[in-house]
Amino acid sequence: MAITKVLHMKQAKTGYPAKHLANGLRYIMDPEKTSEGRYISGSGCVPENALAQMLETKRHFGKSDKRQAYHFIISFEEGEVTEETAFQIMRQFAERYLGEDYEAVYTVHNDTAHIHGHLIFNSVRCTDGRKYDYPKGEWEHRIQPLVNQLCKEHGLSTLDMGNVDNKRRQKKESEKEEKRPVENLPEHSHTTPKYVDKQQIQKAEILYIFIPYRNRHLTRHQRECFYRKYRAGKIHKNPRSREYKASCQALKRLQEEYLFWAEHRIRNREDIRHVSEKAEERLKNIRARKKELMNEKAQYQEVFFLLKAAEGCGMEAELYQKGYPEFAGTYQEYQKICGQLAGFGFSLDEAKAQELHFNTQLDDLEKMRKTALKEKRIAKRLEAKICIQNRERKEQERMEENNNRNQRSGTRQKQHGIHR
């Protein structure tokens, strides 16, 4: 299931009008959120030059003020979709909804627990200069139904639009009920009626006291949905979903254990302990090496701070060089930062290379740390299983010994009776 959220970008109150648009494009194209740019693409424009193309369209048709762009966010249910499938859905949505009339950039972010896509498109059509119109009912009649259709084509669950309409209707009715005056009260009185049952108030308060919050990022809409389900006692739609996830998790653990046995050629319990000890030793070395790298990186702290500031205004500086005078102030700031970097003996490219050098080594250490932790976790799990199996085997042997003892005792009693 995917839920679409619609936002718009207004003209900035200070500075150049398209400041929010520039910041929005920079945010959705963040390499750290898009697997180093793998999940970034454009429709009607090149993502790297999207801002310049959008501004040129606005300037050509004389519509550079007021609303600058629109921002759609499509959030997918956690664990239901891969980055590749989400990226295909974003591309198909941009093609079917916008066509060739708008310059747009779409991306997929995988830096949170749930995968979600971003789409930013120009408020001015590049074909005829008309501004995008968002009429009443656009979300429920065009946007979300199209997302549902694409999800269905890719074998994903869809959002029940009938349920959405019912909830909206119920919300409107409840709002009307709240606006109605309370009976049996003096005029201009806003106190609670004395005849209200205290037990009803207590129950209503209890529903708001304990709200379990999952240890992951949730959007505002997802939190509201979770609260409503909790109050109604319907947190899980499908009672078998928990059993299904548990069985999948058990299968995954069995696969991990099999690969562990094969990779390390485990023959006995001592081999498992040996692998666990080696993993612990690697973790110590990784921690020591990471501490060294962090100390080395701290020596370039001011250089990296200036690099981040330069990257933050690099797009606007480039636009100024292409003939956009409204970015003159940002360009001067950019030149000042480059001069400060030169004072430390670095050009912009050299500072990027130095930062990449540290980040690459830290990323490699993090991968090694996760591998070592995984080996320790599997080894611990296998040792626990061996202990349980040994305990069960001893218990079985004890029971068999008791049964044999009872049988021998019964046989002796029978023989004794025969002799008598």
Side-chain angles (χ1 to χ4, degrees):
M1 181 180 69
I3 301 175
T4 313
K5 184 177 181 180
V6 180
L7 306 171
H8 65 267
M9 297 176 177
K10 297 181 179 179
Q11 174 184 347
K13 295 181 179 180
T14 59
Y16 60 96
K19 181 168 64 175
H20 299 321
L21 172 58
N23 292 336
L25 289 172
R26 185 183 300 113
Y27 171 76
I28 70 170
M29 292 192 290
D30 187 347
E32 295 182 359
K33 301 176 182 294
T34 58
S35 296
E36 299 301 324
R38 180 180 178 182
Y39 301 112
I40 298 176
S41 189
S43 175
C45 67
V46 180
E48 291 78 8
N49 298 324
L51 180 60
Q53 290 182 244
M54 292 181 185
L55 294 178
E56 183 59 35
T57 299
K58 295 176 184 295
R59 178 182 294 180
H60 177 73
F61 292 104
K63 296 182 179 180
S64 299
D65 58 346
K66 298 183 180 179
R67 194 162 291 183
Q68 298 293 306
Y70 287 82
H71 183 182
F72 289 7
I73 304 174
I74 302 180
S75 300
F76 298 90
E77 190 170 351
E78 182 179 354
E80 188 183 34
V81 67
T82 62
E83 292 94 332
E84 288 76 12
T85 301
F87 197 51
Q88 291 181 20
I89 291 176
M90 294 302 299
R91 174 180 57 81
Q92 293 170 344
F93 179 85
E95 292 174 351
R96 299 186 192 183
Y97 185 74
L98 300 176
E100 300 179 354
D101 292 327
Y102 295 93
E103 298 139 335
V105 175
Y106 56 90
T107 67
V108 167
H109 286 187
N110 57 6
D111 61 323
T112 58
H114 69 287
I115 295 173
H116 56 281
H118 292 270
L119 170 70
I120 291 180
F121 61 94
N122 196 357
S123 60
V124 179
R125 294 170 62 158
C126 58
T127 52
D128 56 12
R130 295 173 57 189
K131 278 208 166 184
Y132 172 78
D133 183 29
Y134 185 76
K136 184 178 180 180
E138 182 74 0
W139 183 88
E140 55 264 36
H141 296 310
R142 284 196 63 201
I143 297 174
Q144 188 59 43
L146 177 56
V147 173
N148 281 348
Q149 180 184 343
L150 293 172
C151 288
K152 189 175 181 181
E153 291 176 3
H154 288 271
L156 306 178
S157 59
T158 59
L159 182 65
D160 188 353
M161 299 304 295
N163 190 24
V164 173
D165 292 337
N166 291 335
K167 288 181 178 179
R168 286 186 173 181
R169 195 178 301 110
Q170 292 174 3
K171 184 178 179 181
K172 289 181 180 179
E173 291 176 356
S174 63
E175 289 176 352
K176 290 181 181 178
E177 290 292 334
E178 291 175 358
K179 291 180 180 179
R180 292 179 181 175
V182 181
E183 297 180 359
N184 301 329
L185 284 178
E187 192 175 358
H188 305 298
S189 175
H190 298 283
T191 58
T192 305
K194 295 181 180 179
Y195 56 82
V196 176
D197 190 356
K198 293 183 179 179
Q199 292 183 353
Q200 293 181 354
I201 296 177
Q202 186 177 5
K203 289 181 180 179
E205 291 175 349
I206 291 175
L207 290 176
Y208 286 88
I209 291 174
F210 175 66
I211 299 294
Y213 188 81
R214 297 179 180 179
N215 192 19
R216 63 183 181 88
H217 172 73
L218 295 176
T219 64
R220 181 180 60 82
H221 177 77
Q222 289 172 327
R223 286 198 298 270
E224 291 176 355
C225 290
F226 182 78
Y227 295 160
R228 288 197 296 269
K229 290 178 184 178
Y230 176 75
R231 293 169 193 152
K234 298 178 181 179
I235 295 179
H236 298 283
K237 292 183 179 179
N238 185 0
R240 295 185 179 180
S241 61
R242 185 177 297 175
E243 298 174 2
Y244 174 76
K245 290 181 180 179
S247 61
C248 289
Q249 187 68 20
L251 184 62
K252 181 180 177 182
R253 289 182 176 182
L254 286 174
Q255 184 184 27
E256 288 178 347
E257 292 168 5
Y258 170 77
L259 295 175
F260 181 87
W261 281 85
E263 181 180 356
H264 299 286
R265 299 180 181 180
I266 303 298
R267 294 168 297 179
N268 49 45
R269 191 172 182 179
E270 290 300 321
D271 291 343
I272 297 176
R273 290 178 179 174
H274 181 63
V275 174
S276 180
E277 290 172 357
K278 287 177 64 177
E280 180 60 34
E281 185 65 25
R282 292 206 313 274
L283 285 172
K284 289 182 180 179
N285 296 334
I286 290 169
R287 286 193 289 266
R289 178 55 184 156
K290 184 177 180 180
K291 187 176 181 180
E292 292 176 2
L293 278 175
M294 294 303 294
N295 291 334
E296 293 177 14
K297 189 177 180 180
Q299 300 175 10
Y300 300 90
Q301 183 176 1
E302 296 184 20
V303 174
F304 296 149
F305 176 78
L306 292 172
L307 174 63
K308 186 175 182 180
E311 291 176 341
C313 56
M315 185 183 296
E316 291 87 339
E318 183 180 350
L319 287 171
Y320 174 77
Q321 292 176 322
K322 291 182 179 180
Y324 292 86
E326 56 264 37
F327 298 103
T330 309
Y331 178 74
Q332 292 175 0
E333 181 66 22
Y334 177 80
Q335 291 287 72
K336 180 180 177 181
I337 294 171
C338 291
Q340 291 174 332
L341 273 174
F344 286 101
F346 284 89
S347 66
L348 195 60
D349 291 337
E350 290 172 344
K352 289 180 181 179
Q354 188 68 26
E355 185 182 44
L356 180 62
H357 167 73
F358 284 112
N359 291 341
T360 301
Q361 293 192 64
L362 289 171
D363 290 343
D364 292 341
L365 286 176
E366 181 62 19
K367 291 177 183 178
M368 294 167 60
R369 187 186 72 86
K370 289 182 179 180
T371 302
L373 285 174
K374 183 178 179 180
E375 289 181 358
K376 279 195 64 178
R377 184 175 66 251
I378 296 174
K380 185 177 180 180
R381 195 163 69 222
L382 287 174
E383 283 199 88
K385 283 187 175 182
I386 291 174
C387 290
I388 293 173
Q389 290 173 357
N390 290 338
R391 188 163 57 247
E392 290 177 349
R393 187 177 67 252
K394 290 180 180 178
E395 181 67 20
Q396 184 68 23
E397 292 175 353
R398 188 182 63 80
M399 292 176 63
E400 291 177 357
E401 181 65 25
N402 290 337
N403 290 334
N404 293 334
R405 188 182 299 111
N406 292 335
Q407 289 177 1
R408 288 195 297 269
S409 176
T411 302
R412 286 196 297 269
Q413 290 178 0
K414 287 181 181 180
Q415 292 176 353
H416 183 68
I418 292 173
H419 289 304
R420 291 180 61 184

